[in-house]
Amino acid sequence: MSSENLPQSPEQQLRKPRVAVVFGGRSSEHGISVVTAGAVLNAIDRTAYDVLPIGITTDGRWALTADEPERMAIANRTMPDVAQLAESEEGGVVLSVDPGSREVVYTEPGAVPKALGEVDVVFPVLHGPYGEDGTLQGLLELSGVPYVGAGVLASAVGQDKEYMKRVFTSFGLPVGPYLVVRPREWDNDPAGARERITGFAAEHGWPLFIKPARAGSSIGITKVEDASGLDAAIEEARRHDPKFLVESLLRGREIECGVLEFEDGPRASVPAEIPPVTAHDFYDFEAKYIDAASGIVPAPLTEEQTAEVQRLAVEAFEACSCEGLVRADFFLTEDGGFVINEINTLPGFTPISMYPRMWQESGVSYPQLVDRLIQAALNRPTGLR
């Protein structure tokens, strides 16, 4: 019998829903995940929910952490880390994979395991592999615990830029030129892979962008002006993911649009524009998070352009079978058409991030946004849907 059909005790019926905010993780986006968690913990209505912060260290240990959002901010251009927040250097949190129980247990070497109570919903704020890519979502499906955001398939597709673009193409969404170099090709025939890339450049022109296939926050991306910079760019991308993409430069404006699930289906926010960042080659990690480059919300578009990018954003959400939230990123090219670059199933979610800012401008405040996502997860059935 699944946990949502289990009879509830009077105590369960009276208590507030318990939200486990899970953050950190093993990816190169560990630090920004911690920053996001601090913002979410600050925004959750404590009169409506009980909260359990759980951090995942860079080596994969699930740690019980203090509920202290103020310690989760960027300080002196340095990202916070779960290891600094963990209440113990060895203790671990275990979530039951029995769908008849949502009990969370805390263990320490040589000590009797301690039950921390049941969790009603998980709010995962992990970015990148081992969290945003369907792996955590699969664990939560096995456990029968509702969670915020996209399911297993949508999370995996949303993390892998190759298959994301394949899905977009199959649904008729406009995608820019790209090619994929898989690990076996690079390991067995790097010269052939380089030849493919230079052939791509001959067709579409320099510069190119070399990027990890399954990373986010613009980590590992290099803008390459000519063939002399290829090897260093490929090495940087492969430092984060053995599979990488090559994309041509699309000349135009960078436009983003948020999608949020409402009771009657997904809706799009007002769009935003990312203006050229003069101190950086492109809108990279440092521009986004360290130097806090700011976007324009709402984007200065015509009514027709706004309606079109909103339509495409919702289509991308539906094409990938997303749930909860998505940020869709586009280029408005010089010929006036939109090209979709990618979606993020767990976009940057600090109060200054573009996704919350777009919804703020659309009439949904940051605390309301957090509450809506939690309520949508609580009302969504677990299992196949």
Side-chain angles (χ1 to χ4, degrees):
M1 181 164 59
S2 65
S3 57
E4 64 264 27
N5 295 321
L6 288 173
Q8 289 190 318
S9 68
E11 180 185 352
Q12 288 175 313
Q13 293 171 357
L14 291 174
R15 70 174 175 82
K16 293 181 289 188
R18 198 164 195 221
V19 183
V21 179
V22 180
F23 61 96
R26 294 163 56 191
S27 83
S28 51
E29 297 174 80
H30 177 99
I32 194 59
S33 172
V34 179
V35 175
T36 299
V40 170
L41 288 169
N42 258 328
I44 292 179
D45 181 358
R46 303 308 177 95
T47 66
Y49 305 103
D50 286 328
V51 177
L52 178 66
I54 299 174
I56 302 177
T57 63
T58 53
D59 61 3
R61 178 172 64 95
W62 288 45
L64 190 63
T65 68
D67 186 2
E68 298 176 359
E70 65 278 4
R71 295 175 57 198
M72 301 180 182
I74 300 171
N76 299 319
R77 302 177 69 87
T78 301
M79 287 288 174
D81 190 284
V82 167
Q84 301 164 352
L85 302 164
E87 294 194 346
S88 164
E89 293 183 359
E90 295 181 301
V93 174
V94 179
L95 178 67
S96 172
V97 294
D98 176 2
S101 169
R102 295 175 179 173
E103 189 81 17
V104 175
V105 175
Y106 179 70
T107 63
E108 283 201 66
V112 176
K114 182 173 73 172
L116 299 179
E118 290 194 343
V119 164
D120 297 290
V121 61
V122 170
F123 199 133
V125 292
L126 295 105
H127 300 290
Y130 314 111
E132 190 184 350
D133 59 350
T135 50
L136 176 63
Q137 289 74 15
L139 171 63
L140 296 173
E141 292 286 353
L142 287 173
S143 302
V145 179
Y147 54 92
V148 169
V152 176
L153 175 65
S155 297
V157 170
Q159 187 64 39
D160 191 311
K161 294 177 175 61
E162 174 191 358
Y163 289 99
M164 182 197 309
K165 290 176 186 291
R166 291 184 183 275
V167 169
F168 290 158
T169 301
S170 72
F171 276 82
L173 291 161
V175 173
Y178 72 98
L179 65 82
V180 180
V181 180
R182 295 191 177 88
R184 189 176 294 114
E185 178 184 5
W186 183 256
D187 291 339
N188 294 341
D189 187 15
R194 285 191 197 90
E195 187 175 343
R196 268 211 313 139
I197 296 170
T198 54
F200 179 85
E203 180 179 359
H204 299 288
W206 299 91
L208 301 178
F209 288 91
I210 311 296
K211 58 176 62 175
R214 294 161 291 194
S217 297
S218 300
I219 289 174
I221 299 178
T222 305
K223 183 180 179 182
V224 180
E225 300 292 345
D226 54 49
S228 66
L230 270 181
D231 281 0
I234 291 169
E235 182 179 347
E236 172 61 15
R238 282 173 53 86
R239 195 164 65 84
H240 301 279
D241 188 341
K243 180 168 77 167
F244 64 92
L245 266 68
V246 181
E247 295 178 352
S248 63
L249 173 67
L250 291 174
R251 300 188 186 280
R253 298 161 61 188
E254 291 190 52
I255 306 295
E256 298 183 348
C257 190
V259 181
L260 180 63
E261 188 176 2
F262 286 77
E263 290 79 6
D264 59 350
R267 302 181 199 170
S269 70
V270 300
E273 180 169 4
I274 308 301
V277 185
T278 55
H280 301 263
D281 274 347
F282 59 96
Y283 194 45
D284 61 8
F285 181 86
E286 290 230 341
K288 288 179 181 178
Y289 298 115
I290 303 299
D291 294 336
S294 183
I296 302 168
V297 188
L301 300 171
T302 66
E303 288 186 15
E304 293 77 12
Q305 288 171 329
T306 296
E308 176 65 3
V309 77
Q310 289 174 327
R311 180 186 70 82
L312 290 170
V314 171
E315 283 195 13
F317 182 98
E318 297 282 39
C320 296
S321 299
C322 294
E323 295 170 302
L325 73 164
V326 149
R327 193 193 72 229
D329 300 345
F330 298 86
F331 290 101
L332 177 55
T333 60
E334 293 175 338
D335 65 5
F338 284 100
V339 173
I340 187 164
N341 183 37
E342 64 181 35
I343 60 168
N344 280 268
T345 56
L346 184 63
F349 208 79
T350 68
I352 64 167
S353 297
M354 296 310 298
Y355 183 86
R357 286 184 60 201
M358 288 187 285
W359 278 108
Q360 175 78 39
E361 190 68 25
S362 304
V364 182
S365 70
Y366 191 88
Q368 290 172 331
L369 186 58
V370 168
D371 185 71
R372 174 164 287 281
L373 289 168
I374 293 171
Q375 286 298 317
L378 284 168
N379 292 328
R380 187 184 302 133
T382 56
L384 297 178
R385 51 193 182 274

